[in-house]
């Protein structure tokens, strides 16, 4: 494989993974570890299996059809692509306001500036990436560097918190409790909404598509879930170490509290770095992917793609600075985002068997079955979540 192809594949994997690892990801992981303790390991395991099944199918169909998701959806049923694009862009915008808020929180922890000022600074950093001529390459490099940094720092904090690894491993396979709401929220936060399409559309933009690249695309799709899951597992263990010691986690900012309890003031500053890196890479991923969902609808949008991405970031930043963003919204958007996945994956599975979309390509039967099971499961879990989980969250 050419070096340039390898770096594009790695870039796409990190873009997807760091889009998933945002402020909501950090908040969800620490909050659920508090309530489920070691049994949260089981939730992570099930969500990883669902994530891989969903993403394998989606990235593969995008590569084979050589079309973006919204165009595939319109081929399946005229108008469906527009519906999906509206849902994705709305979700992407909601997430991005939270992401900008998270970046503001990170700079507040590091430098003591107000979250609003930190959010403005972070918005400028994200905008700067898309003003460069080689924006795609810079975006790939940016997400890789910050991705490695986040994982490395979280591993350090995990060692400081000294979690009972044996118990965590046991409960991953023999949980004391099974929480549907936690599973759907985790899947929503990892491959829900725009997130799974971040890498798939990036590979398409970089020209890595068609049958000749299918093996590489498959590998990259699994690697992306692997990167996000490594971060999830180490953050779970770091939090579980604190929970197991019986220390009190501050409910107003659970991840910051975990890092501080594990490694003192240094831990708190590390949290600032991790929060900022997680948030700003998610800002970049959400803006890029949301715009990739609407740019094929008009030649003007395609021509001024970078400008539209910049506008998306500017709107998110402005809303946060003027209105603000409560923590609950992040968990809420994660669970609603899980509902977009069964719709999008269902469309892809239909497309996989339509010759006008994929030609004479034969989609592996096991992937179709895996995908259908996930669609049914996520639809059930999503409805279950809306009926039971969200009213509790709002009460």
């Amino acid at each position: 494989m050419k070096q340039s192809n390898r770096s594009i594949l790695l870039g796409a994997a990190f873009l997807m993974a760091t889009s998933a690892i945002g402020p909501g990801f950090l908040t969800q992981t620490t909050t659920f570890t508090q309530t489920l303790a070691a049994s949260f390991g089981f939730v992570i395991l099930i969500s990883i299996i669902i994530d891989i099944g969903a993403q394998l199918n989606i990235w593969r169909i995008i590569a084979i059809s050589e079309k973006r998701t919204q165009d595939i959806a319109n081929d399946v049923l005229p108008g469906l692509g527009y519906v999906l694009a509206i849902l994705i862009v709305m979700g992407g915008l909601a997430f991005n306001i939270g992401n900008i808020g998270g970046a503001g929180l990170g700079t507040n922890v590091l430098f003591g500036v107000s979250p609003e000022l930190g959010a403005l600074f972070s918005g400028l950093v994200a905008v700067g990436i898309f003003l460069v001529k080689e924006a795609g390459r810079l975006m790939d490099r940016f997400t890789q560097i910050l991705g490695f940094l986040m994982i490395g720092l979280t591993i350090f904090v995990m060692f400081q918190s000294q979690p009972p690894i044996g118990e965590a491993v046991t409960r991953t396979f023999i949980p004391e409790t099974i929480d549907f709401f936690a599973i759907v929220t985790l899947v929503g936060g990892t491959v829900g909404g725009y997130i799974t399409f971040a890498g798939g559309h990036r590979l398409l933009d970089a020209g890595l598509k068609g049958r000749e690249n299918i093996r590489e695309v498959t590998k990259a799709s699994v690697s992306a879930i692997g990167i996000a899951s490594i971060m999830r597992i180490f953050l779970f263990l770091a939090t579980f170490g604190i929970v197991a010691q019986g220390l009190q986690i501050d409910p107003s900012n659970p991840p910051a509290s975990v890092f501080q309890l594990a490694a003192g003031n240094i831990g708190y500053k590390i949290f600032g770095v991790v929060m900022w890196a997680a948030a700003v890479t998610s800002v970049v991923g959400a803006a890029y992917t949301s715009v990739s969902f609407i740019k094929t609808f008009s030649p003007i949008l395609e021509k001024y793609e970078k400008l539209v991405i910049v506008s998306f970031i500017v709107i998110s930043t402005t809303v946060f600075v003027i209105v603000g963003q409560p923590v609950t919204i992040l968990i809420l958007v994660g669970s609603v985002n899980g509902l977009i996945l069964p719709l999008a994956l269902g469309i892809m599975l239909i497309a996989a068997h339509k010759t006008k979309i994929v030609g004479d390509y034969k989609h592996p039967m096991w992937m179709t079955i895996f995908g259908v099971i996930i669609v049914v499961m996520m639809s059930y879990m999503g409805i279950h979540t809306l009926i039971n989980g969200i009213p509790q969250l709002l009460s």
Side-chain angles (χ1 to χ4, degrees), residues 70-235:
Q70 67 275 21
D71 300 326
I72 296 170
N74 273 336
D75 284 346
V76 169
L77 182 70
L80 195 55
Y82 298 107
V83 173
L84 194 59
I86 289 165
L87 286 173
I88 297 267
V89 171
M90 279 167 50
L93 200 58
F95 260 115
N96 239 14
I97 296 162
N99 293 334
I100 282 285
L105 186 64
T107 48
N108 170 257
V109 167
L110 285 169
F111 308 113
V113 297
S114 74
E116 289 75 18
L117 196 64
L120 279 173
F121 162 74
S122 308
L124 284 172
V125 170
V127 162
I129 289 170
F130 294 104
L131 296 179
V132 175
K133 192 168 180 239
E134 287 282 345
R137 196 170 291 175
L138 181 60
M139 178 173 72
D140 290 349
R141 186 65 59 214
F142 182 73
T143 54
Q144 282 172 47
I145 291 167
L146 292 187
F148 277 120
L149 180 69
M150 284 189 281
I151 291 168
L153 290 172
T154 306
I155 290 171
F156 168 77
V157 171
M158 187 268 294
F159 279 116
Q160 296 300 306
S161 87
Q162 300 173 320
I165 305 276
E167 191 188 343
V169 172
T170 305
R171 293 288 165 229
T172 296
F173 299 99
I174 314 164
E176 289 177 309
T177 49
I178 296 171
D179 189 329
F180 274 130
F181 181 57
I183 294 169
V184 79
T185 305
L186 250 62
V187 173
T190 311
V191 291
Y194 71 90
I195 302 169
T196 184
F197 304 102
H201 284 190
R202 174 71 191 114
L203 291 178
L204 211 54
D205 282 344
L208 270 175
K209 57 192 176 183
R211 288 190 197 194
E212 63 276 18
N213 289 305
I214 203 67
R215 179 182 269 181
E216 278 71 33
V217 169
T218 301
K219 221 180 286 180
S221 73
V222 177
S223 302
I225 300 295
I227 295 160
S229 302
I230 286 167
M231 180 68 181
R232 177 93 70 191
I233 289 161
F234 285 124
L235 185 56

Side-chain angles (χ1 to χ4, degrees), residues 280-340:
V280 83
T281 50
S282 294
V283 168
V284 167
Y288 166 80
T289 313
S290 297
V291 173
S292 82
F293 262 86
I294 55 171
K295 72 175 183 180
T296 57
F297 296 152
S298 155
I300 295 168
L301 290 174
E302 188 114 42
K303 186 181 177 185
Y304 296 106
E305 180 187 8
K306 285 184 185 177
L307 201 60
V308 181
I309 293 171
V310 166
S311 306
F312 195 88
I313 296 167
V314 169
I315 292 166
S316 311
T317 308
T318 309
V319 170
F320 173 75
V321 171
I322 295 169
V323 181
Q325 172 94 14
V327 172
T328 316
I329 295 287
L330 290 172
I331 296 178
L332 197 59
V333 173
S335 56
V336 173
N337 232 33
L339 298 172
I340 295 174

